[in-house]
């Protein structure tokens, strides 16, 4: 599962993309919903948990927490940006 | 003057009708910074009849790398004044309306109600949420643009009952959660691109050409020169706003009284005794500090009683003004009877002031 990172999430992770393993090689539970993905990423990058609004897109559409995700989906983390 | 707009009136989909619509339109641009400058220059050039401008800032030398309407000689002048003069030279037919103020919850409804379309060209979250809420109350579409480093976001919110800013981001980020351009930096040309895209959306809204970027967030990535569009839906609860919030400032901003470096130095020169706390680390403090400052690092913030001199205010300093801001918020909570001031610009500015 590929995750595109935007705004501050790119700075937090330190890279414009992130790959989440789809088979459980690490023993960690693989996220099946948007909410689980947020928790999964938050464990590795605790700074992400501090964002009060973080939009998640699945295949270029805004996704709610309960939406299911699978290995072929393209996910994007889109935090608000404020510069002008 | 008759042929002034011929290059665009020649366009089949735009025509004389499009030009007439521009001439009758009233557009408000909030913010005359990196985004606002290309917006006002293009809308003014293209013949938008009435352009309202909101800003209360002055031109700073750091603005020039991206705010290309301003020159070196304008440094220190009001942005509004300089912009008005240059825009009048660019197009004498435009009815330019200056609003010499920042947009606040006291004046937003009064100002915005006079316009058809609003452009959010601001640089901070409180004003973005304020514009969103005011536009919903007044039923006005607004064209959103925002930047982060090499990246820019554009969308049109509240267009014909379409999705709003809060449908993407329901809750306003806290003070230090997401950095702004001042802290994070922005590549000069990126606001030029994003502001131009905003101007294009304004023209589309007014004239009805093409497809308005409503219900879609466009994200431009300057480093890869690519963009994606994210679609999103309207949430009815976000359309129910009937009144502005009593305050849009994040708590941090409201609670930290501050004083400019210059002002502080004046007070320092005029008084025999002054209570100053330096909240940097011991090592930073040892490196250089103000003579009369007490070093109390931010993580060990507890004040000795002798610091409270006859209830005089206590000045708090750090390297840049960020940690001292945090400290002032904390201290005000713990010692509500005392007055604390955050010294803006911190030791960094102190060096340039005194050298």
């Amino acid at each position: 599962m590929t995750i595109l990172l935007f705004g501050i999430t790119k700075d937090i992770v330190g890279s414009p993309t992130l790959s989440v393993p789809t088979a459980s090689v690490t023993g960690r539970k693989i996220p099946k919903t948007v909410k689980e993905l947020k928790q999964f990423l938050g464990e590795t990058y605790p700074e992400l948990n501090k964002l009060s609004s973080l939009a998640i897109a699945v295949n270029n559409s805004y996704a709610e927490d309960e939406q299911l995700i699978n290995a072929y989906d393209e996910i994007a983390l889109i935090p608000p940006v404020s510069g002008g | 003057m008759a042929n002034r707009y011929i290059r665009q009136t020649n366009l089949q989909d735009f025509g004389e009708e499009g030009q007439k619509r521009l001439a009758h339109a009233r557009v408000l641009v909030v913010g005359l910074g990196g985004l606002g400058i290309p917006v006002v220059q293009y809308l003014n050039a293209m013949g938008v009849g009435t352009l309202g401008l909101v800003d209360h800032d002055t031109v700073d030398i750091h603005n020039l790398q991206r705010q290309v309407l301003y020159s070196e000689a304008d440094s220190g002048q009001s942005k509004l004044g300089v912009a008005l003069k240059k825009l009048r030279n660019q197009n004498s037919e435009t009815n330019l309306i200056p609003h010499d103020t920042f947009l606040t919850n006291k004046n937003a409804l009064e100002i915005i109600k006079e316009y058809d379309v609003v452009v959010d060209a601001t640089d901070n979250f409180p004003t973005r949420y304020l514009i969103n809420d005011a536009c919903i109350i007044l039923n006005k579409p607004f064209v959103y643009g925002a930047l982060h480093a090499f990246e820019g976001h554009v969308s049109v919110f509240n267009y014909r009952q379409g999705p709003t800013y809060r449908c993407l981001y329901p809750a306003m980020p806290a003070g230090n959660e997401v950095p702004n351009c001042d802290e994070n930096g922005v590549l000069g040309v990126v606001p030029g691109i994003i502001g131009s895209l905003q101007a294009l959306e304004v023209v589309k809204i007014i004239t009805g050409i093409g497809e308005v970027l409503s219900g879609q967030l466009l994200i431009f990535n300057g480093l890869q020169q690519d963009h994606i569009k994210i679609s999103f839906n309207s949430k009815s609860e976000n359309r129910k706003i009937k009144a502005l919030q009593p305050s849009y400032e994040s708590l941090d901003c409201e609670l930290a009284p501050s004083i400019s470096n210059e002002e502080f130095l004046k007070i320092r020169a005029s008084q025999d005794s002054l209570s100053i706390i330096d909240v940097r680390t011991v090592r930073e403090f040892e490196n250089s500090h103000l003579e009369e400052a007490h070093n109390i690092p931010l993580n060990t913030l507890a004040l000795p009683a002798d610091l409270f001199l006859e209830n005089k205010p206590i000045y708090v300093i750090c390297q840049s003004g960020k940690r001292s801001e945090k400290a002032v918020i904390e201290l005000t909570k713990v010692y509500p009877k005392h007055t604390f001031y955050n010294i803006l610009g911190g030791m960094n500015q102190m060096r340039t002031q005194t050298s």
Side-chain angles (χ1 to χ4, degrees):
Chain A
M1 186 183 306
T2 307
I3 302 175
L4 306 177
L5 305 165
F6 294 97
I8 186 82
T9 65
K10 197 192 241 181
D11 304 336
I12 290 171
V13 174
S15 154
T17 58
L18 194 63
S19 195
V20 171
T22 46
S24 188
V25 281
T26 54
R28 285 174 72 188
K29 201 177 147 215
I30 300 305
K32 290 199 170 55
T33 63
V34 166
K35 191 177 180 181
E36 285 177 17
L37 178 72
K38 279 188 189 171
Q39 285 162 352
F40 184 91
L41 294 171
E43 284 163 20
T44 319
Y45 304 100
E47 289 284 306
L48 292 177
N49 298 328
K50 292 185 191 161
L51 301 172
S52 31
S53 277
L54 174 62
I56 307 252
V58 177
N59 302 325
N60 292 340
S61 289
Y62 182 93
E64 301 290 349
D65 275 354
E66 53 280 6
Q67 182 162 334
L68 295 172
I69 50 175
N70 68 53
Y72 310 107
D73 288 332
E74 188 176 78
I75 316 273
L77 303 194
I78 311 166
V81 301
S82 80
Chain B
M1 281 301 188
N3 283 335
R4 174 169 192 147
Y5 301 110
I6 194 158
R7 289 292 181 271
Q8 60 199 37
T9 53
N10 271 347
L11 287 166
Q12 213 174 13
D13 291 337
F14 187 84
E16 293 293 344
E17 183 55 33
Q19 196 60 49
K20 213 183 286 168
R21 287 185 181 169
L22 284 191
H24 287 117
R26 302 174 61 89
V27 179
L28 181 73
V29 181
V30 185
L32 294 173
L35 293 170
I37 289 304
V39 173
V40 294
Q41 282 184 284
Y42 275 111
L43 295 183
N44 189 48
M46 290 177 70
V48 168
T50 300
L51 260 184
L53 315 173
V54 183
D55 209 308
H56 195 56
D57 208 354
T58 52
V59 178
D60 185 294
I61 201 83
H62 305 120
N63 299 149
L64 302 184
Q65 53 78 270
R66 65 190 186 286
Q67 300 174 21
V68 297
L69 185 67
Y70 308 126
S71 322
E72 288 173 12
D74 302 325
S75 180
Q77 311 268 330
S78 104
K79 287 187 176 177
L80 192 69
V82 175
L84 267 180
K85 200 171 134 205
K86 298 196 179 180
L87 294 172
R88 268 194 200 114
N89 286 337
Q90 185 191 25
N91 192 341
S92 60
E93 294 172 349
T94 310
N95 175 25
L96 296 165
I97 302 178
H99 300 277
D100 189 6
T101 173
F102 290 119
L103 202 70
T104 68
N105 59 349
K106 303 271 186 308
N107 63 26
L109 294 173
E110 200 57 37
I111 293 175
I112 290 175
K113 75 175 187 344
E114 301 295 330
Y115 296 89
D116 309 319
V117 183
V118 177
V119 180
D120 173 2
T122 62
D123 61 359
N124 63 85
F125 287 119
T127 318
R128 294 186 186 284
Y129 280 87
L130 169 63
I131 291 173
N132 177 77
D133 294 359
C135 284
I136 288 167
I137 293 167
L138 297 167
N139 195 24
K140 311 276 183 187
F142 73 102
V143 181
Y144 161 84
L147 309 167
H148 182 89
F150 306 99
E151 185 181 310
H153 295 197
V154 186
S155 190
V156 177
F157 293 122
N158 203 39
Y159 176 70
R160 296 184 178 165
Q161 308 294 309
T164 71
Y165 186 46
R166 287 184 189 270
C167 297
L168 264 185
Y169 304 115
M172 182 160 84
N176 301 326
E177 215 174 278
V178 178
N180 60 32
C181 289
D182 295 346
E183 298 155 14
N184 197 57
V186 61
L187 195 72
V189 65
V190 175
I193 294 164
I194 299 303
S196 299
L197 291 175
Q198 288 181 277
L200 177 58
E201 289 307 312
V202 172
V203 171
K204 283 157 64 183
I205 292 170
I206 295 170
T207 61
I209 60 167
E211 233 172 273
V212 172
L213 194 67
S214 168
Q216 292 188 301
L217 176 72
L218 183 148
I219 306 177
F220 170 79
N221 173 353
L223 289 181
Q224 266 69 45
Q225 198 70 280
D226 60 17
H227 68 270
I228 61 166
K229 279 199 252 179
I230 304 295
S231 59
F232 57 99
N233 294 323
S234 193
K235 291 178 190 164
S236 58
E237 70 259 32
N238 295 324
R239 308 205 52 86
K240 287 180 184 149
I241 296 166
K242 293 279 175 280
L244 296 178
Q245 291 177 7
S247 169
Y248 282 82
E249 291 305 314
S250 58
L251 287 176
D252 301 9
C253 303
E254 237 182 347
L255 288 172
S258 56
I259 180 169
S260 74
N261 228 284
E262 210 174 0
E263 237 176 298
F264 167 75
L265 286 175
K266 264 187 219 154
I267 293 172
R268 189 183 181 214
S270 69
Q271 295 192 7
D272 301 335
S273 60
L274 207 60
S275 293
I276 306 172
I277 309 172
D278 189 323
V279 293
R280 296 175 302 161
T281 61
V282 176
R283 185 183 286 181
E284 283 175 287
F285 185 78
E286 279 171 356
N287 202 14
S288 83
H289 60 87
L290 299 175
E291 206 181 319
E292 61 274 56
H294 298 253
N295 183 213
I296 307 173
L298 188 58
N299 53 0
T300 62
L301 215 57
L303 301 188
D306 61 352
L307 213 68
F308 298 105
L309 294 167
E310 306 151 22
N311 281 336
K312 275 193 186 170
I314 297 171
Y315 299 92
V316 185
I317 195 162
C318 71
Q319 197 65 33
S320 71
K322 273 273 156 204
R323 278 175 286 174
S324 50
E325 185 187 16
K326 248 187 212 166
V328 168
I329 293 163
E330 286 302 310
L331 289 166
T332 311
K333 276 183 212 154
V334 184
Y335 307 97
K337 284 185 184 147
H338 293 274
T339 312
F340 299 90
Y341 286 107
N342 170 33
I343 303 175
L344 296 171
M347 291 298 287
N348 288 341
Q349 212 172 318
M350 196 69 64
R351 205 171 300 139
T352 51
Q353 292 267 344
T354 48
S355 62

